[in-house]
Amino acid sequence: MSVNTSNIYGKISISDAAIAKVAKNAALECYGIVDTVSKRLTDSLSDLFKKQPDGRGVKIVTSGDRIFINVNVIIKYGVSINAVAESLKEGVKYKVEKFTGMIVDTVNVNIIGVKL
């Protein structure tokens, strides 16, 4: 799938993989985030065989011009989960909206683990 829009110069199409890469980079910039990871073991195994697993741990769902993002992360031990999750939501929403020019409807944060 992809997000499509148009302006006076023509049609713009942005793939879900491109949006996932932007969302992953934005997530990794947030304080307290160690890494993004796949939620299931089968996802991790399939990522090994892909040529570009850069969007690993981020799932993008698009509906019209709205974007829904699910991010699976590992956080640092000792940080406030609520503060880190809110920072992550705001950072990912801002960066993806700036990148695509579309509206990010929801950013869901799933904390998969904690790293010392």
Side-chain angles (χ1 to χ4, degrees), residues 32-85:
I33 301 297
V34 176
D35 199 5
T36 60
V37 293
S38 296
K39 194 169 189 174
R40 295 176 286 168
L41 179 62
T42 55
D43 293 342
S44 298
L45 292 174
S46 66
D47 284 343
L48 290 174
F49 297 108
K50 290 181 182 176
K51 291 182 181 176
Q52 298 176 339
D54 292 336
R56 177 177 46 100
V58 179
K59 183 175 182 194
I60 304 296
V61 177
T62 56
S63 176
D65 65 344
R66 298 221 181 254
I67 302 169
F68 303 89
I69 303 172
N70 291 312
V71 183
N72 302 315
V73 296
I74 295 177
I75 64 167
K76 276 185 183 179
Y77 175 77
V79 298
S80 169
I81 292 174
N82 190 39
V84 170

Side-chain angles (χ1 to χ4, degrees), residues 78-115:
V79 298
S80 169
I81 292 174
N82 190 39
V84 170
E86 287 301 318
S87 172
L88 177 79
K89 286 181 190 181
E90 291 173 12
V92 169
K93 180 176 171 45
Y94 174 76
K95 295 272 175 112
V96 171
E97 284 181 346
K98 185 177 173 186
F99 174 71
T100 62
M102 304 293 169
I103 298 167
V104 173
D105 194 83
T106 307
V107 178
N108 296 316
V109 178
N110 303 306
I111 299 170
I112 304 300
V114 178
K115 188 165 185 171

